[in-house]
Amino acid sequence: DSGVTQTPKHLITATGQRVTLRCSPRSGDLSVYWYQQSLDQGLQFLIQYYNGEERAKGNILERFSAQQFPDLHSELNLSSLELGDSALYFCASSIHPGGGSDEQFFGPGTRLTVL
Amino acid sequence: EDKVVQSPLSLVVHEGDTVTLNCSYEVTNFRSLLWYKQEKKAPTFLFMLTSSGIEKKSGRLSSILDKKELSSILNITATQTGDSAIYLCAVPPEYNYGQNFVFGPGTRLSVLP
């Protein structure tokens, strides 16, 4: 158990809908990262927050947005869902703001299925 | 564009064999390289290699960073069925430059009894 929690574990929804994925980092970690993993794309970095502020942005679609709250939990919002958004979404956390200085601890992931 | 390449993409061996997994990178402002093991669920951290720590070892696993060749290898000796997993190589961002965190495609290792 990494100490990172994600909810829900599974999510099944229809195209065009909007969902929110939630992540609670390890106690003491200030950075939160979001990743998307699909069979044909591998692990793709979406976005990073550090202490409430966006720190780095990856291949995140405009239909997706995220935020980190004062209690350091983070939410990833996915809207106007398409079939291709079906994937495993991971959250990870680390202590420092820069990924080059420490390791990330991954949560168990949320499996999103868009029908 | 920053890039991480891994080879082979898939590998099948028998228990007791030794394997070498390769990772090469093309990134600006390199600071470190991370290796992760992903079984059925979330990736778990194995090693972090930096300019000041180019070789790491933990039990049967070891990893070396070659900054000149912009590459790293992960060695697993005396493989066991429990080593079956996807091994991911990643280069984290230099946050001052707003880099993305880049993962390689992974090497899927299958260890047969």
Side-chain angles (χ1 to χ4, degrees):
Chain A
D1 184 359
S2 66
V4 179
T5 61
Q6 290 186 248
T7 57
K9 190 172 180 178
H10 298 280
L11 193 51
I12 301 175
T13 189
T15 54
Q17 294 297 306
R18 174 190 171 93
V19 297
T20 297
L21 313 182
R22 184 189 168 99
C23 167
S24 292
R26 287 188 326 157
S27 177
D29 284 358
L30 299 177
S31 269
V32 169
Y33 306 77
W34 284 99
Y35 295 90
Q36 179 192 59
Q37 187 175 42
S38 54
L39 285 175
D40 58 344
Q41 289 284 328
L43 198 61
Q44 299 285 320
F45 168 69
L46 295 178
I47 197 165
Q48 177 205 355
Y49 281 84
Y50 175 73
N51 205 20
E53 294 190 2
E54 184 182 304
R55 180 65 78 168
K57 208 165 187 177
N59 303 314
I60 187 166
L61 300 172
E62 285 191 11
R63 299 183 287 108
F64 296 0
S65 65
Q67 54 183 326
Q68 186 179 29
F69 295 87
D71 67 352
L72 301 177
H73 91 271
S74 178
E75 292 181 357
L76 178 67
N77 299 295
L78 315 176
S79 61
S80 303
L81 286 168
E82 302 175 359
L83 296 177
D85 297 328
S86 295
L88 195 54
Y89 290 85
F90 286 111
C91 166
S93 72
S94 68
I95 296 175
H96 299 296
S101 57
D102 60 357
E103 67 179 281
Q104 296 181 12
F105 295 86
F106 281 76
T110 293
R111 182 168 295 283
L112 172 67
T113 302
V114 182
L115 302 176
Chain B
E1 184 177 323
D2 296 337
K3 190 176 176 183
V4 175
V5 176
Q6 291 185 248
S7 64
L9 293 180
S10 182
L11 189 56
V12 181
V13 300
H14 285 96
E15 272 192 318
D17 289 349
T18 293
V19 298
T20 298
L21 312 183
N22 300 283
C23 173
S24 62
Y25 57 90
E26 293 177 23
V27 296
T28 52
N29 305 307
F30 173 84
R31 291 182 65 188
S32 63
L33 183 146
L34 309 180
W35 282 98
Y36 286 87
K37 177 183 181 182
Q38 185 176 23
E39 298 173 86
K40 292 184 180 177
K41 37 193 177 180
T44 54
F45 174 79
L46 293 175
F47 298 118
M48 182 171 73
L49 303 164
T50 66
S51 299
S52 57
I54 62 171
E55 186 167 358
K56 294 284 177 73
K57 184 175 172 62
S58 176
R60 296 178 294 103
L61 277 66
S62 63
S63 183
I64 297 174
L65 177 70
D66 187 337
K67 283 201 71 180
K68 185 177 177 183
E69 296 296 327
L70 305 184
S71 65
S72 174
I73 59 170
L74 175 67
N75 283 313
I76 308 176
T77 59
T79 52
Q80 303 170 357
T81 55
D83 295 327
S84 296
I86 297 174
Y87 290 84
L88 298 165
C89 167
V91 177
E94 169 52 68
Y95 61 87
N96 288 333
Y97 297 90
Q99 267 180 287
N100 296 337
F101 203 113
V102 184
F103 275 82
T107 293
R108 182 180 293 275
L109 174 64
S110 299
V111 181
L112 305 178

